[in-house]
Amino acid sequence: MTRNIILLALLCLSATPLHAQKSLYHKGWVDFNKNGRRDTYEDPARPLDQRLDDLLGQMTLEEKSCQLATLYGYGRVLKDELPTAGWKTEIWKDGIANIDEELNSLRNTPKAQSQFSYPFSKHAKAINTIQHWFVEETRLGIPVDFTNEGIHGLCHDRATPLPAPIGIGSTWNKGLVRQAGETVGREAKALGYTNVYVPILDPARDPRWGRVVECYGEDPFLIAELGKQMTLGVQSQGVASTLKHFAVYSVPKGGRDGNARTDPHVAPREMHQVYLYPFRRVIQEAHPLGVMSSYNDWDGQPISGSRYFLTELLRQQFGFDGYVVSDSRAVEFLFEKHHVATDFPDATRMAMEAGLNVWTNFYSPAAYITNVRELVRGGRVSPATLDARVREVLSVKFRLGLFDQPYVADPGQADKLVHTAAAEALALQLNRESLVLLKNEKQMLPLQKEKLKNILVVGPLADATSHAISRYGPPNNPVTSVLAGLRAYAGPGLQVQYEKGCDVVHAGWPDTELVPSPLTAAEQAGIARAVAQAQQADVIVAVLGEDDKTVGESLSRTSLELPGRQQQLLEALQATGKPLVLVLINGQPLTINFADRSVPAILEAWFPGPTGGRAVAEALFGDYNPGGKLPMTFPKTTGQLELNFPFKPGSHAGQPTSGPNGAGNTSVNGALYSFGHGLSYTTFAYSNLQITPREAAPQGLIEVAVDVANTGPVAGDEVVQLYLRDKLSSVVTYDSQLRGFERVPLRPGEKKTVRFTLRPDDLALLDSNMNFVVEPGQFEVLMGSSSTDIRVKDTFESKGK
C-alpha cells in the first residue's frame, strides 16, 4: 500500500510540475489561461454572465467543440488510468465536457477494474491528478465535469449500496429519499465526481418493460415527489443531479426493449400529465443542473433532435438552465434508426440546433467533435448556436465551483465520508421500508421464533446475491442473501434448512413460455428434494421471483409469471399442507394469481440492496413491521395491460355479464393488487377529515388534515394517501389522482394529525386548447391506505382561475 501511495504521489508531481503549480495557483484564484493576470473568468467575485462572456471570448472553435462531448473513463474509452504524454496528441488536448465513470471499477467490465478505485482517498487523489492535467496542460485550463451513475447508490467500488429504485419508490418516504440523495451526493463529492446521473423520472406504465426495476413506479405524482427529494439531496452536497430520461422513454411499443426502445403510443395530453409531469415538477422545484435526453421518438419527433422537447419544453416552459447530455448513441440514432438525418454530421447539426449540449457514446469523442468543427466551418451550424450550447455547459461548471476550486480539497477525507456506518444504517432502513406486505391471511406473519424448531428456506432466489448489485449501483459490496439473513437471525436454537428446488429459469426459457416443455428428470428430482425437506419443517419460506438476468435494461418480458419451474415448485410446496410464506425477489409486478389464492403470506422485497436479507428476516419474525406500499399496479394477467394508475373513468371497469356490451363471462377484471396497496402487522383508523376553506379562491391554497390512529397491538408505519377527484370537467380527467402522501410512524394507541396543502397545480387540467387551467367546480378529497382502500372523503368548491 505504501508503494502505491508513493507511486501516486510521483504521478501527481509528474502531471503537475512545480513551476506550473507556483505560477497558476494564487490566493483566491487560479490562472487557468496561464497569462500571469487575473482574467474576468478567473475571478470568483465577478458575476456569472461576465465570467462566461470572458471565457467564451477567449475560446477557439477547437476548444468550444471539445466542451460538447463526453469521454468515457478508463476501460471504456480511456486506455490510461492517469494522464500520459500521449494525451497531448488526443482530441481532448483542447479540453472535454465531462469524463464518465472514471476509475470506478465498473461491475462486470474486467478491463475497467482500476487500482485507483479503492481506498476511496486514492481515487480522490487520482481524480485530482487528472483534473490537474486539464487545468495545467490545456491552453485555457477549463476543468472537467466528472460524471457517474447513481440510481441506487453511487456507481463506484464499495460505495454505499441502496435498494433498486422500484424498492425506493415503495418506501413512500420523502425524508428518507432526501437522506439517500444526500448520501449519494456526499460520496460523489468526496470521491471527486461532480455530476451524478440520478434520479430516473420515467413513469413505468408497462410492467413488461425491463427497466421497471430502475423506476420509482407508475404514478407521476409519486415519482415527482421522490425525484424532487433525491435531486435536492444530491445537489445539497455541491454536486449536480442529472435527470433521466427526457422524455416519454419508458413506454416503448409493447413494452419491448433493446433496439425497440421507440414509438411510445402516448397521446399529447397524457404525455404532459403523466410522462412530462415529474420532469416539470422536479425542474421547477429542485432546479437540477443536468438532464439526459432519450433516444426514442414521440409522434415522429426523435427527442434528441427535437427543438420542441429540448428547447421549447425543457428550457422555455419548464425553466431548465443546466446542460443536456445525450443518452448513449441517441445522436447516432437520428440517422441509424429514426432516418431523419442523412448521416452522423447531419444528426450532429440537428441535435445541436434542437438544444443538445453534450454527446455521449462508448467510443472516442473525436468523431463528434470533428463533426461540430466541420459544421461550423462549413456554415451549417451558426457560431451563435455553438456559443449557446457551450455557454450552457460552462455555466454548470462555474456554478459547481470548478473554476474556483477544481480539485477535491482534502482527498484523505474520502475514507471517512464514503460508506460510513451511518450510511450503511440508512441503506438498511431503506431496505426495511421498501418491503411491502401483500397478503397475511389469519396473521400468519410475523413468525414466532419460540414456537418453531425447523424452517425450510426454498427457492432459486433464497441464496442469490447478484440482484443486489446493479450495473448502475456500487459493485464489490458483500451481500446478505435471504437465506443468510434468516440463518443469522435465527441463531443456534432454530434450525434453518435450505433446498434450492429449481433454477431461476430453465433450458429453453423464455421460448418455453410460448410452447411449454415437460420437466426433466433433474428438475423433477430438485422439486422432490424440496418437498421431502418440507415434510420435516414447521414452516416453509419460499424465495422466488427474478434475477438480474431476467429483468433489467434490455430484458423485457412477454409474460409476468414466475419464470422457469418456480410455479411448479410453489405448487408442490403448497400441496404439502405446511405453513407457507412467499418472499418475492423481483424487479417488476408479477402475475402471482396462484400464490394470492393459495399462499397465506406474501412479502414483496423487490431487488433489495446488500442488506436486504437482514431486512427480510427482521420482517418475517416481527422485529420490523413492513409498511411499504406498491408503487405499481399488479395485474392478474398480461392480457389486461395496460392496467395502471391513474386511469380514465371506466377504463378499469369490469366487463358486464349481460346487457349492452355484455356476455363478458370469459373476461378477467380488476387488479391483483392495486396501486398504493400494502398491509401491516397492525391496523389504522382514519377520522376527522377537515378541508379549509370549503370554497377556494382563484390561485388559493387548500389545507387538508386527517387524524390517523394505530388501533392495533404493535408499532407500525401507515402511508396516508390523498387522492383528488375532479367531479365535472371540460375534458375527460383521470378517475382520481394522487396529490399527497406521508409515511407516518405510530405506536400502539397513538394518534397523529396529518396535514397536506393542495396547490392550484394539483387541481389543474389541460383544457381543450392544451392550456393548464383550474376550472371552477367541485373536487372530492379521498383519503386512505391505498388507491382502492379509501377511509374518509369529503368535497370542496374551487372558484377556478
Side-chain angles (χ1 to χ4, degrees):
M1 181 178 292
T2 302
R3 181 177 178 273
N4 286 339
I5 293 172
I6 293 172
L7 175 63
L8 179 59
L10 292 171
L11 286 167
C12 289
L13 288 173
S14 66
T16 57
L18 288 176
H19 69 84
Q21 293 184 32
K22 290 178 180 177
S23 62
L24 266 62
Y25 301 102
H26 305 275
K27 185 176 181 180
W29 68 284
V30 180
D31 187 9
F32 290 102
N33 64 3
K34 309 156 191 71
N35 65 358
R37 65 175 186 270
R38 186 186 305 190
D39 290 73
T40 298
Y41 86 90
E42 297 164 347
D43 188 348
R46 302 298 285 270
L48 175 61
D49 283 341
Q50 290 183 16
R51 299 180 80 180
L52 286 166
D53 289 341
D54 181 55
L55 179 54
L56 272 171
Q58 296 188 41
M59 294 175 73
T60 65
L61 172 59
E62 287 71 23
E63 289 161 337
K64 291 176 181 177
S65 57
C66 280
Q67 293 301 312
L68 301 181
T70 292
L71 173 62
Y72 263 106
Y74 173 69
R76 310 282 273 176
V77 171
L78 272 176
K79 296 180 175 60
D80 313 301
E81 292 181 278
L82 293 174
T84 66
W87 281 29
K88 294 296 281 187
T89 64
E90 297 285 358
I91 194 82
W92 53 87
K93 69 181 183 299
D94 294 312
I96 202 72
N98 58 44
I99 300 179
D100 195 31
E101 298 184 316
E102 174 67 334
L103 305 176
N104 66 340
S105 289
L106 188 70
R107 182 196 184 203
N108 293 338
T109 307
K111 63 182 180 179
Q113 301 306 304
S114 169
Q115 62 174 313
F116 294 109
S117 64
Y118 187 85
F120 302 125
S121 55
K122 192 175 182 182
H123 183 268
K125 292 173 186 175
I127 289 293
N128 277 355
T129 299
I130 297 164
Q131 191 73 285
H132 271 289
W133 189 91
F134 281 93
V135 169
E136 295 164 7
E137 301 297 332
T138 64
R139 188 179 72 93
L140 294 177
I142 298 173
V144 173
D145 182 16
F146 287 96
T147 58
N148 201 355
E149 302 285 349
I151 60 173
H152 53 116
L154 186 71
C155 186
H156 184 93
D157 182 11
R158 282 167 269 198
T160 302
L162 307 178
I166 193 67
I168 294 174
S170 297
T171 69
W172 292 60
N173 189 328
K174 289 174 282 189
L176 201 61
V177 173
R178 172 66 183 257
Q179 292 179 54
E182 291 169 354
T183 299
V184 171
R186 179 173 60 254
E187 296 190 351
K189 184 80 169 178
L191 286 160
Y193 301 108
T194 50
N195 191 330
V196 185
Y197 293 160
V198 66
I200 290 180
L201 297 182
D202 303 308
R205 305 285 285 176
D206 189 331
R208 295 171 296 181
W209 184 54
R211 300 194 83 172
V212 166
V213 67
E214 298 174 9
C215 300
Y216 289 148
E218 68 190 11
D219 179 79
F221 185 88
L222 176 66
I223 296 163
E225 289 289 309
L226 298 184
K228 171 184 172 181
Q229 297 305 322
M230 180 64 74
T231 301
L232 289 170
V234 169
Q235 296 203 157
S236 72
Q237 305 302 303
V239 173
S241 169
T242 291
L243 315 180
K244 305 199 297 185
H245 306 84
F246 187 81
V248 206
Y249 170 79
S250 52
V251 279
K253 187 176 181 181
R256 287 180 280 273
D257 211 329
N259 287 335
R261 298 182 222 185
T262 188
D263 195 23
H265 285 198
V266 177
R269 185 170 280 102
E270 181 184 14
M271 178 181 74
H272 284 277
Q273 293 184 329
V274 174
Y275 294 95
L276 295 179
Y277 178 92
F279 288 94
R280 175 178 65 82
R281 285 274 318 277
V282 174
I283 288 167
Q284 292 176 348
E285 297 173 28
H287 310 291
L289 292 176
V291 163
M292 181 181 289
S293 68
S294 57
Y295 35 59
N296 56 282
D297 70 320
W298 176 79
D299 194 29
Q301 295 189 61
I303 304 299
S304 292
S306 168
R307 178 175 172 79
Y308 171 68
F309 279 96
L310 299 190
T311 297
E312 294 176 23
L313 278 179
L314 191 59
R315 293 192 183 274
Q316 295 173 2
Q317 292 188 32
F318 297 173
F320 175 69
D321 65 352
Y323 77 74
V324 181
V325 60
S326 77
D327 204 344
S328 298
R329 207 164 196 86
V331 176
E332 288 85 337
F333 280 163
L334 296 178
F335 71 96
E336 292 176 345
K337 178 183 289 188
H338 301 304
H339 307 296
V340 295
T342 56
D343 52 22
F344 193 17
D346 193 39
T348 303
R349 174 197 60 79
M350 182 179 292
M352 289 183 65
E353 292 179 345
L356 181 76
N357 297 100
V358 175
W359 163 95
T360 300
N361 209 336
F362 296 106
Y363 56 81
S364 171
Y368 185 83
I369 292 170
T370 300
N371 285 347
V372 173
R373 295 171 180 176
E374 292 177 352
L375 288 165
V376 174
R377 290 188 183 116
R380 295 180 63 194
V381 168
S382 71
T385 297
L386 173 67
D387 284 358
R389 299 293 86 81
V390 175
R391 186 185 188 93
E392 288 153 354
V393 174
L394 296 177
S395 173
V396 170
K397 293 187 176 187
F398 274 110
R399 285 182 282 166
L400 287 173
L402 289 174
F403 285 91
D404 306 325
Q405 168 52 282
Y407 309 114
V408 180
D410 186 355
Q413 283 295 305
D415 294 328
K416 301 177 183 178
L417 294 173
V418 181
H419 205 150
T420 63
E424 182 76 3
L426 172 70
L428 175 59
Q429 189 62 22
L430 274 163
N431 275 302
R432 290 170 176 144
E433 296 199 17
S434 68
L435 299 174
V436 184
L437 185 61
L438 298 179
K439 183 183 179 184
N440 195 22
E441 189 175 87
K442 298 180 180 178
Q443 289 73 52
M444 180 175 176
L445 293 177
L447 301 174
Q448 299 180 52
K449 188 191 300 188
E450 64 278 5
K451 295 183 179 180
L452 301 173
K453 294 181 180 179
N454 189 322
I455 295 177
L456 175 65
V457 183
V458 183
L461 276 305
D463 202 27
T465 58
S466 65
H467 59 269
I469 302 174
S470 160
R471 151 72 180 89
Y472 295 106
N476 304 323
N477 282 301
V479 179
T480 300
S481 68
V482 173
L483 175 64
L486 286 168
R487 280 179 168 164
Y489 187 93
L494 177 59
Q495 190 173 22
V496 178
Q497 304 276 15
Y498 165 64
E499 189 65 52
K500 187 175 183 180
C502 66
D503 294 325
V504 175
V505 297
H506 57 282
W509 186 91
D511 184 67
T512 51
E513 291 186 343
L514 306 177
V515 181
S517 62
L519 273 69
T520 65
E523 290 168 343
Q524 291 175 347
I527 294 175
R529 285 194 298 271
V531 169
Q533 287 268 45
Q535 304 290 355
Q536 311 304 317
D538 298 317
V539 65
I540 306 166
V541 176
V543 190
L544 308 178
E546 302 166 308
D547 62 9
D548 55 340
K549 294 181 176 60
T550 52
V551 61
E553 186 171 9
S554 298
L555 292 171
S556 291
R557 293 188 60 193
T558 55
S559 167
L560 297 176
E561 299 290 323
L562 288 169
R565 305 304 191 187
Q566 295 183 67
Q567 181 63 32
Q568 290 97 320
L569 173 63
L570 182 64
E571 291 178 9
L573 294 172
Q574 189 271 340
T576 66
K578 293 286 185 174
L580 176 61
V581 177
L582 171 61
V583 175
L584 290 173
I585 303 289
N586 53 305
Q588 59 200 146
L590 298 177
T591 51
I592 51 167
N593 295 285
F594 172 83
D596 178 67
R597 296 185 185 187
S598 305
V599 176
I602 306 173
L603 182 69
E604 173 62 83
W606 299 111
F607 275 7
T611 56
R614 174 179 169 180
V616 168
E618 291 175 346
L620 292 182
F621 284 103
D623 273 359
Y624 180 75
N625 183 357
K629 300 286 185 177
L630 289 181
M632 293 191 71
T633 303
F634 274 46
K636 294 176 180 175
T637 169
T638 54
Q640 293 176 288
L641 301 182
E642 290 184 6
L643 192 77
N644 42 38
F645 185 91
F647 55 87
K648 295 292 179 65
S651 64
H652 284 194
Q655 176 69 37
T657 57
S658 61
N661 296 316
N665 293 313
T666 60
S667 65
V668 174
N669 297 319
L672 187 62
Y673 305 113
S674 61
F675 173 78
H677 170 75
L679 305 177
S680 173
Y681 297 153
T682 190
T683 55
F684 302 98
Y686 288 65
S687 62
N688 195 28
L689 175 60
Q690 298 182 24
I691 303 173
T692 309
R694 289 290 182 160
E695 291 190 3
Q699 299 303 309
L701 302 178
I702 306 292
E703 303 296 335
V704 179
V706 68
D707 291 342
V708 182
N710 183 342
T711 54
V714 296
D717 293 356
E718 171 66 331
V719 178
V720 180
Q721 301 167 43
L722 186 159
Y723 297 89
L724 196 63
R725 175 175 292 147
D726 193 342
K727 300 284 283 186
L728 181 67
S729 52
S730 62
V731 296
V732 178
T733 57
Y734 292 101
D735 180 76
S736 65
Q737 296 184 80
L738 182 68
R739 284 297 180 259
F741 62 89
E742 290 292 338
R743 183 162 180 152
V744 183
L746 292 164
R747 298 184 301 274
E750 185 180 11
K751 179 190 292 186
K752 290 182 181 178
T753 300
V754 185
R755 303 180 187 278
F756 302 91
T757 298
L758 295 173
R759 307 166 302 157
D761 187 69
D762 296 322
L763 280 60
L765 55 76
L766 272 172
D767 67 11
S768 57
N769 296 315
M770 295 299 287
N771 295 314
F772 276 105
V773 299
V774 178
E775 295 184 336
Q778 197 174 69
F779 288 81
E780 188 173 23
V781 173
L782 306 104
M783 303 281 292
S785 194
S786 81
S787 60
T788 55
D789 184 6
I790 301 301
R791 308 291 182 86
V792 290
K793 56 185 176 180
D794 206 343
T795 60
F796 67 89
E797 196 82 18
S798 171
K799 298 293 186 181
K801 270 193 175 179

